Amino acid sequence: MFRLSNNLIGILNFVTFLLSIPIIWAGAWLRNHGSSECERFLDTPVIVIGVFLMLVSIAGLVGACCKNSLLLWIYLVVMFLLIVLLFCFTIFAFVVTNKGAGQVLSDRGYKEYKLGDYSNWLQKRVTGGKNWNKIRSCLIEGKVCSKFNETYLSDSVEQFYTERLNALQSGCCKPSDECGYTYVNPTTWTKTTTNSTNPDCAAWDNQPDVLCFNCNSCKAGLLDNLKRDWKRVAIVNIVFLVFLIIIYSVGCCAFRNNRRDNSYTTGWKA
């Protein structure tokens, strides 16, 4: 008799199979039509995820609906490994994002960010010359500071200091407050003699493709964004883990049903 667990696994994997098709298509589209290195960087991971989902869903679908115990066993092994990996990643994400926060400034609406405040592991992933060059190119191509300049162009210095800037705007698009530079507009500042030992002061330049993209504050601003994003992903992973564990349990029931039905069929033929 065809049992409920087999039906449920079959339906869920059919839905997953359908979802994998637009994922693969999106990866192929990025590979062929991506207008920048930043967009094309995502094509291979997206395609890999789509193909992985398709193959796993086919194994689960055929295993459950055709009572193929081998395919269903492979499906359950992959699901178990996925659960373990997601669990480890979730714990790791909470650990590496535990450190770091913007520093509140007196009479300022925005915060400033220090690279040393963040996890050493995250720092190494971002600050390496090759990695940062790619990230910096993406920030410039994404016009992070151009949009920032357009938004606050009409601000007087008093108004600008009260704006609530995000981490990238504060870290990459303006010099650090401790440099003491004179405000002209959001991305143009007059350099003055400073006693600050902050290397970001020397790194600042009014050129639109330079600004503070080479500053440690820009790297810190990116890490602050990553920290918030990883925490969101970790929370979503917890929900996804619960869902996967339920599916894995139902899959185990379907596998047991297959074994029982196969044993019954073999015994009946004998």
Side-chain angles (χ1 to χ4, degrees):
M1 188 175 80
F2 207 66
R3 292 170 172 80
L4 177 62
S5 57
N6 294 68
N7 281 326
L8 185 57
I9 286 293
I11 292 170
L12 288 171
N13 281 284
F14 180 69
V15 173
T16 305
F17 175 80
L18 293 178
L19 289 174
S20 69
I21 295 173
I23 293 175
I24 295 173
W25 179 86
W29 186 91
L30 282 174
R31 173 165 291 184
N32 295 318
H33 298 90
S35 60
S36 68
E37 183 181 351
C38 306
E39 292 178 347
R40 290 191 294 271
F41 173 76
L42 296 172
D43 59 2
T44 300
V46 170
I47 291 173
V48 169
I49 291 171
V51 171
F52 173 77
L53 286 175
M54 179 175 284
L55 293 176
V56 171
S57 61
I58 289 173
L61 183 62
V62 175
C65 296
C66 300
K67 298 184 180 181
N68 188 313
S69 296
L70 176 60
L71 282 178
L72 197 54
W73 180 82
I74 293 173
Y75 171 77
L76 290 174
V77 169
V78 173
M79 288 289 287
F80 176 77
L81 293 176
L82 185 59
I83 289 170
V84 172
L85 287 173
L86 275 177
F87 177 78
C88 293
F89 173 77
T90 302
I91 298 299
F92 178 74
F94 277 116
V95 170
V96 299
T97 58
N98 190 45
K99 291 178 60 180
Q103 298 180 355
V104 178
L105 304 176
S106 177
D107 299 324
R108 299 290 187 269
Y110 51 80
K111 298 178 181 179
E112 289 200 338
Y113 301 84
K114 304 295 182 183
L115 186 59
D117 293 342
Y118 295 87
S119 157
N120 289 332
W121 186 88
L122 281 178
Q123 288 185 48
K124 290 177 182 178
R125 301 286 81 74
V126 168
T127 58
K130 186 176 180 181
N131 288 341
W132 182 249
N133 286 339
K134 290 182 179 179
I135 294 169
R136 181 181 58 194
S137 296
C138 291
L139 292 174
I140 294 171
E141 289 176 8
K143 299 183 178 180
V144 171
C145 292
S146 298
K147 295 174 183 176
F148 159 79
N149 188 51
E150 291 171 4
T151 302
Y152 302 110
L153 185 60
S154 60
D155 279 11
S156 65
V157 62
E158 292 80 12
Q159 290 174 315
F160 181 78
Y161 285 149
T162 61
E163 300 290 0
R164 297 188 178 277
L165 309 180
N166 63 40
L168 285 177
Q169 291 172 337
S170 177
C172 305
C173 305
K174 68 169 193 62
S176 172
D177 270 37
E178 66 181 276
C179 298
Y181 293 161
T182 304
Y183 174 87
V184 178
N185 65 47
T187 57
T188 303
W189 298 70
T190 302
K191 282 192 172 185
T192 56
T193 304
T194 177
N195 294 322
S196 174
T197 58
N198 188 340
D200 288 355
C201 297
W204 169 264
D205 193 286
N206 289 328
Q207 293 296 321
D209 59 345
V210 180
L211 299 179
C212 222
F213 289 119
N214 293 316
C215 298
N216 287 332
S217 62
C218 188
K219 298 171 184 177
L222 179 74
L223 290 182
D224 196 75
N225 275 9
L226 285 177
K227 173 187 171 181
R228 291 200 309 273
D229 291 343
W230 273 41
K231 281 195 172 180
R232 293 190 190 104
V233 169
I235 293 170
V236 172
N237 276 351
I238 293 173
V239 178
F240 191 48
L241 270 173
V242 173
F243 176 73
L244 285 180
I245 291 170
I246 294 172
I247 299 304
Y248 180 77
S249 301
V250 175
C252 289
C253 293
F255 180 71
R256 184 181 59 192
N257 291 341
N258 282 3
R259 294 286 297 274
R260 186 180 300 165
D261 289 346
N262 290 338
S263 298
Y264 175 78
T265 302
T266 303
W268 181 79
K269 287 181 178 179

